Amino acid sequence: MKLFVCQDCGNVLYFENRACERCGHRVVFLPEQETMSAVEPDGGGWKTLADKGESCMLCRNAEYDACNWLTDVGDTTGFCRACRHNGIVPDLSDPAQLAGWRELEVAKHRLFYSLIRWKLPLQTRQDDPEHGLIFNFLADDPSTGQRIMTGHDNGLITIALTETDTIERERRRLEMGEPYRTLLGHFRHEVGHYFWDVLVRDGEKLQECRAVFGDDTVDYGQALQRHYAEGAPPDWQQNYVSTYATMHPWEDFAETWAHYLHIVDTLEMAGEFGMEVRPRVDHDGELTARIRFNPYEAKGVEALVNAWLPFTFAMNSVNRAMGLRDLYPFILSPAVVAKLGFIHSLVREVARDKTKAGKP
């Protein structure tokens, strides 16, 4: 994630800003330009100060303060590039559900920022009625006792609204023995399943992927039962980024995909702040890093990992000084780095192909 600047007064803007805190201009995100812009009213639309292009409309979800993106030029849906992937949303007449949906949208928009930056293929259900990417945000039904489970099914990603309840999310984290559980983490994991379908299965990468992640033809239901009955193997950290990744190659891919997004987005943010790590006691340079590169353009995964390890060591130490859990409580073994490298190559190849074809 980048930092942005108000074109009117030069104030620093953050991705979730709705207005510039200094000059008061309304600010929006322009997905086509991948930047934030101050805007001014222009008839029934908005004129951007960033490019002074054609007048555009705010996404229809701005009405609920759930989106600060503009629609694309020529858009006919009324929704931005992120919100046009929404299927079912909660009951917006319920203040609690509306508040929860807004939290989900914050995480979803951060997800789409990354997907757009990589130029990954994003088809809606209108584009592809059977396999397009769509999100259903569903609430539990107290009258029937039905509990919504977060998951992915052939392009349909369901996110349980209950996950926006911090106390409930923490309870589930402890119950499942997870070191980390966030809304953004859910989005990044579940979309990993979607891109396994799109980039691996449909992209003729199955054999290459199996060589790294294992045989995905193993029965998923049996793997699920075995995982919850027996747990992860004792030496799981040698080959997997999390215990959940040990369950099945599909979950291993989705977990690794999520961590790849964690790493790239966080390193971009650290670079925007000009961060560098230079411990005085690090005589060998293993804990030293200068984050002065664009992680979305890194040629190899080694550049990402070499910056990530010192950075997270420092941030984990800072968190501990505040009595908090580690920012990144995971170990990247050589086997996990190789898996991250596979995903890095996968998304880089898509971006290169799109660039050569001159596509947005």
Side-chain angles (χ1 to χ4, degrees):
M1 182 59 62
K2 293 186 290 187
L3 292 172
F4 305 95
V5 175
C6 174
Q7 291 79 14
D8 180 67
C9 69
N11 191 38
V12 173
L13 302 175
Y14 299 92
F15 187 61
E16 286 81 17
N17 280 153
R18 268 50 171 167
C20 175
E21 298 296 330
R22 179 183 294 171
C23 69
H25 267 81
R26 183 156 196 163
V27 294
V28 300
F29 184 71
L30 283 61
E32 291 178 313
Q33 285 78 36
E34 300 173 3
T35 191
M36 296 284 291
S37 176
V39 293
E40 295 177 343
D42 182 41
W46 297 87
K47 181 71 71 175
T48 60
L49 274 63
D51 61 2
K52 300 186 185 300
E54 297 182 38
S55 180
C56 292
M57 303 296 293
L58 281 167
C59 175
R60 287 165 59 182
N61 285 334
E63 174 186 351
Y64 302 98
D65 194 25
C67 181
N68 66 338
W69 288 27
L70 286 184
T71 60
D72 294 348
V73 173
D75 170 75
T76 58
T77 68
F79 291 105
C80 70
R81 289 178 68 181
C83 291
R84 67 185 59 165
H85 290 272
N86 284 3
I88 301 173
V89 299
D91 179 4
L92 303 184
S93 66
D94 181 331
Q97 293 196 31
L98 173 59
W101 178 53
R102 286 171 176 159
E103 288 190 47
L104 290 172
E105 288 295 343
V106 168
K108 190 197 77 182
H109 281 72
R110 279 190 170 256
L111 168 71
F112 271 86
Y113 168 87
S114 297
L115 304 183
I116 291 170
R117 292 272 275 136
W118 273 309
K119 299 178 173 59
L120 289 171
L122 292 167
Q123 289 191 308
T124 66
R125 280 291 155 122
Q126 287 71 38
D127 302 324
D128 182 350
E130 294 185 6
H131 308 290
L133 180 62
I134 186 171
F135 294 87
N136 283 349
F137 304 129
L138 304 179
D140 294 344
D141 187 344
S143 64
T144 63
Q146 180 187 20
R147 295 183 61 188
I148 301 299
M149 302 300 293
T150 294
H152 168 267
D153 181 18
N154 202 29
L156 169 61
I157 293 176
T158 300
I159 304 290
L161 188 66
T162 311
E163 291 286 345
T164 63
D165 183 329
T166 305
I167 295 176
E168 175 62 20
R169 189 168 65 248
E170 178 65 5
R171 185 192 68 77
R172 294 185 183 189
R173 185 190 71 80
L174 294 171
E175 186 179 82
M176 299 181 72
E178 299 171 334
Y180 168 93
R181 190 181 183 94
T182 67
L183 295 179
L184 186 52
H186 281 315
F187 277 97
R188 287 172 171 167
H189 173 96
E190 299 304 339
V191 87
H193 288 299
Y194 171 73
F195 281 110
W196 186 92
D197 291 349
V198 173
L199 302 181
V200 176
R201 184 195 65 194
D202 301 340
E204 300 182 351
K205 299 288 185 180
L206 273 174
Q207 295 308 315
E208 295 176 40
C209 188
R210 287 169 181 167
V212 178
F213 289 93
D215 184 8
D216 55 272
T217 64
V218 173
D219 186 270
Y220 184 84
Q222 293 179 7
L224 182 68
Q225 292 180 356
R226 181 176 62 252
H227 176 76
Y228 284 114
E230 303 174 7
D235 61 347
W236 66 268
Q237 287 183 322
Q238 295 182 21
N239 297 292
Y240 301 92
V241 74
S242 70
T243 57
Y244 195 65
T246 68
M247 187 177 76
H248 189 277
W250 288 341
E251 299 301 344
D252 191 10
F253 181 91
E255 281 287 88
T256 309
W257 175 280
H259 280 258
Y260 180 73
L261 267 63
H262 292 334
I263 291 169
V264 172
D265 195 47
T266 306
L267 283 179
E268 184 180 41
M269 188 82 272
E272 289 289 295
F273 278 97
M275 291 186 179
E276 60 180 84
V277 181
R278 291 191 300 171
R280 295 180 180 179
V281 298
D282 181 27
H283 301 299
D284 298 325
E286 294 182 358
L287 297 178
T288 297
R290 297 187 66 198
I291 307 173
R292 296 288 190 275
F293 63 97
N294 182 349
Y296 284 93
E297 297 177 356
K299 292 183 179 180
V301 76
E302 295 78 14
L304 301 177
V305 173
N306 290 342
W308 183 248
L309 295 179
F311 173 73
T312 52
F313 180 83
M315 295 307 296
N316 288 348
S317 299
V318 170
N319 272 26
R320 292 177 190 183
M322 288 291 293
L324 300 173
R325 291 197 302 270
D326 286 355
L327 174 75
Y328 189 74
F330 302 94
I331 294 174
L332 299 183
S333 68
V336 172
V337 171
K339 293 174 181 179
L340 289 167
F342 176 85
I343 291 175
H344 179 74
S345 299
L346 200 62
V347 298
R348 287 270 298 170
E349 182 177 332
V350 173
R352 284 196 301 268
D353 291 346
K354 283 283 189 74
T355 300
K356 288 179 181 179
K359 296 180 179 179

